[in-house]
Amino acid sequence: MNKWPSLKPADLQDVIHVKEFGAKGNGVTDDTIAINSALRSVPSVGGVVFLPAGTYITTNTINVPSFAHLMGAGKRLTVIQRANSVGAAVGIRNTSFATSDNGITLSDFTF
């Protein structure tokens, strides 16, 4: 079993923050477009998109590119939640199917 190191934003040089793309994380605003915009800015070699503590509402699929790491502030601190649907699944998909080793990781948040 592989054990991934726990990444912290302070340890990383080029962290992309979703709030720079307009995400609110206030549990009311639809943050889908802002999260996807931040993820689209990840370079092809990979990068980290950070969601600080808050509740991020989504109304559509979150599209994670290959070699991207989507990281929150911690379990129950960063929540990604489907709008108007208690218990509904949040859609997350890889945007590149060119390789079976797409290198995406998701960590430190709650759905």
Side-chain angles (χ1 to χ4, degrees):
M1 182 167 105
N2 289 336
K3 290 192 176 187
W4 294 90
S6 179
L7 299 174
K8 302 293 180 204
D11 299 332
L12 305 166
Q13 289 186 348
D14 295 316
V15 175
I16 299 163
H17 293 265
V18 294
K19 292 206 172 188
E20 293 175 5
F21 290 82
K24 302 293 182 202
N26 61 11
V28 176
T29 304
D30 179 3
D31 291 314
T32 309
I33 292 172
I35 294 169
N36 279 328
S37 294
L39 286 163
R40 277 193 303 276
S41 75
V42 172
S44 61
V45 296
V48 175
V49 173
F50 179 65
L51 290 84
T55 298
Y56 297 85
I57 301 297
T58 62
T59 56
N60 209 333
T61 303
I62 302 299
N63 298 300
V64 184
S66 292
F67 308 109
H69 180 100
L70 186 61
M71 181 176 66
K75 185 177 179 182
R76 296 189 190 104
L77 295 175
T78 300
V79 177
I80 300 176
Q81 179 178 314
R82 188 75 170 183
N84 300 323
S85 301
V86 176
V90 172
I92 294 183
R93 73 176 176 138
N94 177 239
T95 58
S96 173
F97 299 101
T99 174
S100 61
D101 183 16
N102 58 34
I104 66 170
T105 56
L106 310 170
S107 71
D108 299 313
F109 56 86
T110 302
F111 289 109

